[in-house]
Every structure is written in structure tokens, then in C-alpha cells.
Amino acid sequence: MKSKFAFIDGENFQEIGGLSSFGTQLARVVDTQFFKEALQISKAVQVENISQSIRDFIDKVQDRSKIVIFAGIHSQRKLEDVKYSNSGILPYSYNTFYNIPIINSFNKNHIFVIDFNKVKVNIYTSNSKKWYNGQLLVDITEYQKEIITNDIITKWNENDGYDYNIEEIDILESNNVNMKILFKGDYVLKILKIFWLLIVV
């Protein structure tokens, strides 16, 4: 990553477009993977009255404290009596339906009503100072010139659509950093029929 100047203070600092959205991109990947696996386990259904079907599902669950509704903005409009909530009980949830928090997910075609009493989450942690809150690895290191091979330089040329000369390559080598961002977790599904999936047309 040719961006050492994004990690220094002073007049030589330059902001890199997209760098601040790395966390969002990581969350999107985790989000998408979870919903894809959910759709493989339980088929989506189409119902006439989405709101009532969700209420019926919620009424069958004894402990409602771990039920969460995931819906995109478009999908959420299909629900009746959605209420704004700033309780802060669940991060990134600003609305509720039937007293159940709604999280606006990246999924555009489904509403997921999930009882997390039926889901076990294993999150890999570390006591290293490089891990934020022990769960997210953020590691920024400098490139070592000796590991930048001709193959890497060729890839730079191909990706950027430009043939760098020797002086430019020396500058790039001096300004490169390695960025490693890692979150690792497993979802263990105890019971197959735990998802109530509704196709929003």
C-alpha cells in the first residue's frame, strides 16, 4: 500500500481516499458471509402479511432479549409501526418493531429475524497490544526494500496503468506500508430452523 504519508503528522500528511472506510468494508464482508450461510441453512419464504408473520414468530420465543431484526432501509419500509429508538441497548440500532431492535444491514432482498439464543458465536481474541479490544487486529508496518521484487514492481505498473522509472520506484519503495486488519469469528448454529426469512418484493 503506497501510503506512508497517511500515517505521519505534520505538513507532509496526506489523506488517502477510502482508508477511513476499511472498518466498514470489513463489517460488510462479515455481514454478507453470515447472511449467505443463513440462506443456505433455511430457505426464504414469501408471505402476504410480513408484519404479522414476524409477530407470530416472536410470540413463539420465550426469551425475546436476543432476537434481532436485520433489514435494509427498503425492506424496513415493509414493516408496520416501526418506532424510533435511541435506547442504545444495541449498537447501530435506531428503530424497533414489536419492541425488537432493527439493524439496517447491507442485505437488500430479505428481512432476517434471528433468535440468537440458538446461535453460539466464537470470537478469536488476543492479549497483544496490536489487537483493538482484544478482538480486532490492526497492524501497520513499513515495507522493507529488499522484499520488493521485480514481480511486485510489475504488479504496480499493471494496477496503476503506468510504467514507473527508477526514481519513482525508489519513492514508492520508501512510502509503502503493510496494513493487516483481521477479525476472526465462527457462528455455531445449534438448531437448523432458527431463521425466519422473508422475501421483500
Side-chain angles (χ1 to χ4, degrees):
M1 185 175 185
K2 303 184 286 292
S3 58
K4 185 184 294 184
F5 45 78
F7 297 91
I8 60 176
D9 294 324
E11 60 182 10
N12 293 318
F13 167 80
Q14 292 185 39
E15 187 172 347
I16 301 295
L19 187 61
S20 60
S21 64
F22 265 40
T24 302
Q25 295 173 28
L26 178 62
R28 187 185 297 272
V29 171
V30 174
D31 196 6
T32 301
Q33 180 181 353
F34 178 80
F35 292 130
K36 281 184 177 179
E37 292 184 6
L39 287 169
Q40 291 177 356
I41 292 171
S42 181
K43 291 183 179 180
V45 296
Q46 190 171 7
V47 296
E48 292 184 4
N49 191 324
I50 295 175
S51 297
Q52 188 57 50
S53 297
I54 294 178
R55 290 191 193 97
D56 292 342
F57 172 78
I58 294 172
D59 287 339
K60 295 177 183 177
V61 180
Q62 291 183 346
D63 181 7
R64 301 185 184 185
S65 63
K66 293 185 179 180
I67 298 179
V68 181
I69 298 173
F70 295 89
I73 298 296
H74 169 74
S75 303
Q76 180 180 299
R77 295 193 183 108
K78 301 289 183 177
L79 299 176
E80 304 167 355
D81 299 323
V82 172
K83 297 180 180 179
Y84 173 76
S85 173
N86 61 351
S87 63
I89 296 176
L90 192 63
Y92 308 108
S93 175
Y94 306 103
N95 296 286
T96 63
F97 170 78
Y98 205 43
N99 294 321
I100 300 299
I102 300 173
I103 291 181
N104 294 129
S105 69
F106 303 113
N107 190 283
K108 299 179 180 179
N109 302 317
H110 302 85
I111 294 177
F112 292 75
V113 184
I114 301 179
D115 177 11
F116 278 96
N117 288 295
K118 306 295 184 180
V119 180
K120 180 181 179 182
V121 181
N122 294 325
I123 298 177
Y124 294 84
T125 61
S126 172
N127 293 324
S128 171
K129 294 181 179 179
K130 294 181 179 179
W131 287 67
Y132 177 72
N133 282 347
Q135 299 179 2
L136 178 67
L137 171 64
V138 180
D139 189 18
I140 311 296
T141 57
E142 291 186 73
Y143 252 107
Q144 301 300 317
K145 284 190 175 183
E146 57 269 18
I147 69 172
I148 299 180
T149 63
N150 289 332
D151 289 339
I152 292 177
I153 295 172
T154 299
K155 187 176 294 185
W156 287 349
N157 293 334
E158 293 174 351
N159 290 341
D160 297 346
Y162 178 83
D163 290 328
Y164 294 103
N165 60 39
I166 295 177
E167 292 181 354
E168 291 170 330
I169 290 173
D170 185 63
I171 293 173
L172 292 176
E173 290 177 337
S174 301
N175 284 282
N176 260 269
V177 295
N178 289 316
M179 178 181 291
K180 182 188 294 183
I181 300 177
L182 174 67
F183 171 83
K184 188 176 181 181
D186 291 327
Y187 294 98
V188 181
L189 311 180
K190 300 178 183 178
I191 300 176
L192 294 183
K193 293 183 179 180
I194 60 173
F195 300 102
W196 188 263
L197 307 179
L198 308 174
I199 296 179
V200 179
V201 180

